[in-house]
Amino acid sequence: MEDYILAAEELRKEALARLENVTDEKGLEEFYVAYLAKKGSIPGLMIHMKDVADKAAFGAAVNKARTEVTASYEEKKAALAEKALNAKLLSERIDITLPATPTKTGHVNPYRLIIDEVTDIFLQMGYEVCEGRDVETDKFNFELLNVPKDHPSRDMQDTFYFGDDYLLRTQTSAAQAHKMSEMAEKKPIRMIAPGKAYRRDDDDMTHSHQFAQIEGLVVDKGISIANLKATLELFAKKMFGQKREIRLRSSYFPFTEPSVEVDVSCFNCGGKGCAMCKGTGWIEILGAGMVNPRVLEACGYDPEVYSGFAFGVGVERVAMLRYGIDDIRRFYQNDFRFLKDYPVK
Ligand code: PHE
């Protein structure tokens, strides 16, 4: 009878020895099934209870075997789990000293840098940005701007048409016609419209069928050409340097009266005369004028009450002067060797 107590003791020793040799989770699982599970050999000892005389001693021996083996089993289980985790951490370790693969990023086009700079200057003066749209109607691109269908100035602004009425805008001035006619209540306006314009042009070093302009428009009571001059002078100083001066030369645009070309004193030679300003000391940078009363009226503003000024800057021209770029086509070729040279602020 004592044999069963001994057998329990033997089984305990055997199980603990077997456990020593278990090295992985699969082995541990097999061990559990063999010794500790419901049908395993340790709980299986209990069927002998009925044959044993000293039931208390036998029960104690079985209990001891179960508790000790279970404790060792749990210990082993934890150790194996830790080992697995460590192995996983090791295999997934990242060497942070390795140099990263450089990602290639693009670069802001220099004409966009000029748009951003000009926009910043006018935002500081309280202007809002109204970009308008590239596809326009004849009405907004021409008619509301005092250019009826038979107007000779249309010859210089031939463009790409979609049917009779839709076209790619030839000037960002179309955005001022939108803004004025779409104001529900006719209130003062201070806006700029940066964006693309299109004209049928022979593409060469200084002409492109697609280019960028920035239109400016101010409409209010009592606006005079003095306001136009002061605004553009401030702009020229902020854009080209505090020492710059501007001069206005008389010109013609159908939508402004009077109209002017605005020159800025040469920022390369300071006005003495150099190759950049072709010896004149002045560089032409934009067209401007007082909004023609007919335009105000066509867009719903009473010209007896309101007056205004408008101006249009050629973006690529300013960028070419500022950065010494010789060919306008470079802006649209997306050649990274060219683009990367311009400083992003
Ligand atoms: N829209 C004119 C052009 O493209 C420029 C301009 C704008 C002139 C506003 C006067 C006022 O040539």
Side-chain angles (χ1 to χ4, degrees), residues 3 7 13 26 57 76 78 139 143 145 154 168 178 226 246 308 328 337:
D3 289 356
K13 284 188 189 149
K26 189 168 165 280
K76 188 87 185 187
K139 180 179 164 190
E143 282 165 51
L145 295 169
R154 287 202 181 207
L168 289 182
H178 272 290
I246 60 164
I328 194 169
R337 289 168 301 180

Side-chain angles (χ1 to χ4, degrees), residues 157 170-171 173 176 199 213 215 253 255-256 287-289 310-312:
Q157 296 199 8
T170 60
Q171 46 190 354
S173 307
Q176 55 158 297
R199 287 181 201 174
Q213 288 189 324
E215 183 82 4
F253 298 105
F255 36 86
T256 48
F311 55 89

Side-chain angles (χ1 to χ4, degrees), residues 101-156:
T101 323
T103 30
K104 278 195 185 151
T105 50
H107 193 285
V108 185
N109 195 299
Y111 89 76
R112 178 47 67 180
L113 297 174
I114 298 292
I115 290 182
D116 289 349
E117 214 176 311
V118 175
T119 304
D120 273 355
I121 292 172
F122 283 98
L123 284 177
Q124 283 168 25
M125 292 196 244
Y127 285 57
E128 62 174 315
V129 177
C130 308
E131 291 186 311
R133 57 215 78 179
D134 288 21
V135 177
E136 268 300 351
T137 56
D138 196 81
K139 180 179 164 190
F140 285 97
N141 194 76
F142 290 126
E143 282 165 51
L144 289 177
L145 295 169
N146 198 30
V147 183
K149 287 221 157 49
D150 57 359
H151 198 285
S153 75
R154 287 202 181 207
D155 289 352
M156 290 184 303

Side-chain angles (χ1 to χ4, degrees), residues 311-329:
F311 55 89
V313 188
V315 176
E316 285 85 348
R317 183 170 157 70
V318 174
M320 287 168 85
L321 290 166
R322 159 73 63 88
Y323 300 124
I325 295 166
D326 56 351
D327 190 332
I328 194 169
R329 289 169 292 199

